[in-house]
Amino acid sequence: MNTWVIARSTFGEAIRKKIGMYILFTSLIFIVLSQLFASLSMSGSVAQQTASSGSLEVQIITSMAFGIMVIGGLILAIFLSFDLIPSDCEKKTIYTILSKPVWRWQYVLGKFVGTVMALAVNIAFMGLALMVVVFAKTMQIQWPILAGVFFTFLQFVLLAGISIMLSLLVTRNINVAMCFGFYILGTVNEFWQDIAKAAPSPVIHWIANFLHVAIPSFYSFNFVNIIVHPELWKETPTLAHDAAASVLYGILWTSGVLVIAVAVFSRKEV
């Protein structure tokens, strides 16, 4: 119950933050305008004269919209979570909260859940905008888009957990920089093993293997290519297995990050 109260309060604060509204509003505008960009990119091309031009245009719209969603979600996940606990400590409001029958793990978990709720609302609006744009173009509901929106959301749930954990260990600026670094390195995580195999020296081999293990693979949540190109479904017989594995991967990593955050905060003097 205490966790839920803290989560609702955190959600309300996150929704009222101006940066969240700015990012959401900007993302929605660009998602809607993606139809115009797709039309301009098709104008005058040979593809426009083919029967598949409508399908190609939808692919461009979907691909651009997911790119916008990733950028918006990345900024939201970091800037909605990096300052939650430090700001409570500076304002001394944490003393009021912890003086009540609230365990520290409930406090951390409540902050995380509230952030996730705010992320869910923002990304859901972006996904809804994409669904509407595609529907207006095809007059059909493209249900696979929902799967892409879900996995986009899932990766930023993990990133928000990392940001909350880092907020207990490093300063705000370092936290933001590290989160961006983690995400960038995590999106190319699949290549670290290839780099390790081709490494000319043992040091590079060790570093590449360490990065592969120590940094969460955000690439594991990327199913956009299959959603944009439905013909790839038949070429990916393990799609359901890969999707389930990605969900489990995200749950395990997020749980591990939160356990570390709770352990650090339990020993932290506030």
Side-chain angles (χ1 to χ4, degrees):
M1 189 63 181
N2 291 329
T3 299
W4 179 242
V5 172
I6 295 172
R8 285 192 303 173
S9 174
T10 303
F11 171 73
E13 293 174 5
I15 291 297
R16 289 191 295 270
K17 284 185 177 180
K18 291 183 178 179
I19 186 171
M21 292 186 289
Y22 293 154
I23 295 299
L24 176 60
F25 184 68
T26 304
S27 299
L28 291 177
I29 290 177
F30 277 105
I31 289 173
V32 173
L33 290 178
S34 63
Q35 184 171 5
L36 175 61
F37 298 148
S39 298
L40 291 175
S41 66
M42 297 283 294
S43 62
S45 67
V46 177
Q48 189 182 23
Q49 302 171 10
T50 67
S52 62
S53 61
S55 175
L56 182 58
E57 193 169 346
V58 170
Q59 290 177 3
I60 295 173
I61 292 171
T62 306
S63 182
M64 288 184 61
F66 272 111
I68 295 165
M69 206 178 302
V70 165
I71 295 172
L74 173 61
I75 297 173
L76 284 170
I78 295 174
F79 284 94
L80 291 181
S81 58
F82 84 109
D83 195 36
L84 288 176
I85 299 178
S87 63
D88 276 357
C89 293
E90 289 181 357
K91 296 175 183 177
K92 309 299 182 183
T93 55
I94 195 168
Y95 297 121
T96 304
I97 297 172
L98 296 182
S99 64
K100 300 175 182 179
V102 176
W103 294 92
R104 291 198 176 199
W105 69 264
Q106 293 177 321
Y107 172 78
V108 173
L109 185 59
K111 289 292 183 181
F112 171 74
V113 172
T115 304
V116 169
M117 290 165 59
L119 269 175
V121 170
N122 283 281
I123 293 179
F125 272 114
M126 296 180 199
L128 179 61
L130 174 56
M131 293 280 287
V132 171
V133 169
V134 173
F135 179 79
K137 189 69 181 177
T138 65
M139 299 310 294
Q140 293 179 343
I141 299 177
Q142 303 293 329
W143 296 111
I145 290 176
L146 294 179
V149 173
F150 171 73
F151 282 103
T152 300
F153 165 70
L154 194 60
Q155 64 180 320
F156 293 124
V157 168
L158 171 56
L159 188 63
I162 292 174
S163 180
I164 290 175
M165 178 194 71
L166 290 176
S167 71
L168 299 168
L169 299 169
V170 297
T171 62
R172 292 177 174 87
N173 292 337
I174 295 177
N175 184 358
V176 172
M178 288 183 69
C179 283
F180 277 111
F182 273 130
Y183 187 78
I184 293 171
L185 293 175
T187 54
V188 296
N189 190 279
E190 63 165 358
F191 298 111
W192 291 120
Q193 281 188 322
D194 296 334
I195 294 173
K197 292 176 182 177
S201 72
V203 175
I204 297 177
H205 175 84
W206 184 88
I207 292 174
N209 276 328
F210 174 78
L211 291 174
H212 176 72
V213 174
I215 296 178
S217 175
F218 291 102
Y219 182 83
S220 299
F221 305 105
N222 186 3
F223 290 87
V224 174
N225 193 41
I226 295 177
I227 293 170
V228 173
H229 303 282
E231 64 273 11
L232 295 178
W233 293 7
K234 297 179 180 179
E235 301 175 14
T236 314
T238 60
L239 181 58
H241 175 271
D242 294 343
S246 296
V247 173
L248 180 60
Y249 181 82
I251 292 173
L252 291 176
W253 255 103
T254 305
S255 300
V257 165
L258 291 177
V259 167
I260 294 173
V262 169
V264 171
F265 189 62
S266 297
R267 296 174 177 270
K268 187 179 181 67
E269 293 185 8
V270 294

